[in-house]
Structures are given as structure tokens and as C-alpha cells.
């Protein structure tokens, strides 16, 4: 499982995220996407922790909280939807 962290300050670093999430358990990995064209941070990240219960606790405690002047959106990351040639390929059931 991975955690989506949205509405991040553009000043946040991977180390900042590791430190914040380490309060709830061991952090396996942090991904802080960079825009290809501008080279700037995109304002969101993905955090992976060692244990699902720790991830759930971090989500519960951090979602809606204020950090670095921003109100965070923290939730379970959704699977990526692949887009090819303008067509959307759904990875799950529609019903």
C-alpha cells in the first residue's frame, strides 16, 4: 500500500516527509514527483511504510492537518490508470 499526500508546500523535502511519517512507523520510501517541463515540485508525494496498520494510523492522524502553512490531503493512494492514445483503460470494475 502507498499513501498519497496532497496539497504540499513546494518547500517540502523528502527528508521532511520521512521525518513526519516516521512518527507513525518505519518509512520505506518517499517519492516527491518533479514536473518534467519546469523542474519544480508538483505539490504532492507518495509515502510507503513497512506496515499497513502504521500507514492507516498516519493517514488518520495527518489527513486534514496543517503543515508548512497548507492543509494536507492524506489518503490511500489509488492505482494508476494507464492512458494510451487518448483512450482511458480502466483497471477496475465500473459497477
Amino acid at each position: 500500500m502507498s499513501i498519497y499526500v496532497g496539497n504540499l508546500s513546494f518547500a517540502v523535502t523528502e527528508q521532511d516527509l520521512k521525518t513526519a511519517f516516521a512518527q507513525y512507523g518505519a518509512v520505506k520510501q518517499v517519492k516527491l514527483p518533479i514536473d518534467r517541463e519546469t523542474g519544480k515540485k508538483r505539490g504532492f508525494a507518495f509515502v510507503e511504510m513497512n506496515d499497513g496498520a502504521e500507514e492507516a494510523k498516519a493517514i488518520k492522524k495527518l489527513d486534514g492537518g496543517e503543515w508548512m502553512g497548507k492543509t494536507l490531503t492524506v489518503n490511500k493512494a489509488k492505482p494508476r490508470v494507464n492512458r494510451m492514445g487518448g483512450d482511458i483503460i480502466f483497471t477496475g470494475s465500473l459497477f
Side-chain angles (χ1 to χ4, degrees), residues 1 21 26 35 50 72 80 85 87 89:
M1 181 169 114
F21 279 81
D35 186 276
N50 284 335
L72 296 180
R80 187 175 184 164
D87 295 331
I89 301 171

Side-chain angles (χ1 to χ4, degrees), residues 22-88:
Q23 298 175 61
Y24 306 101
V27 176
K28 248 165 106 170
Q29 182 178 18
V30 173
K31 292 181 186 176
L32 193 56
I34 304 292
D35 186 276
R36 288 184 215 160
E37 293 180 21
T38 65
K40 295 181 180 180
K41 295 172 189 160
R42 297 180 65 192
F44 65 91
F46 296 97
V47 177
E48 204 172 322
M49 298 178 76
N50 284 335
D51 180 84
E54 292 172 348
E55 287 182 341
K57 184 176 179 182
I59 290 168
K60 183 177 180 181
K61 295 286 187 178
L62 296 173
D63 185 40
E66 190 174 323
W67 191 45
M68 294 185 162
K70 299 274 209 160
T71 301
L72 296 180
T73 299
V74 184
N75 53 45
K76 187 175 172 181
K78 297 176 183 164
R80 187 175 184 164
V81 175
N82 294 323
R83 296 182 183 142
M84 300 177 71
D87 295 331
I88 298 174

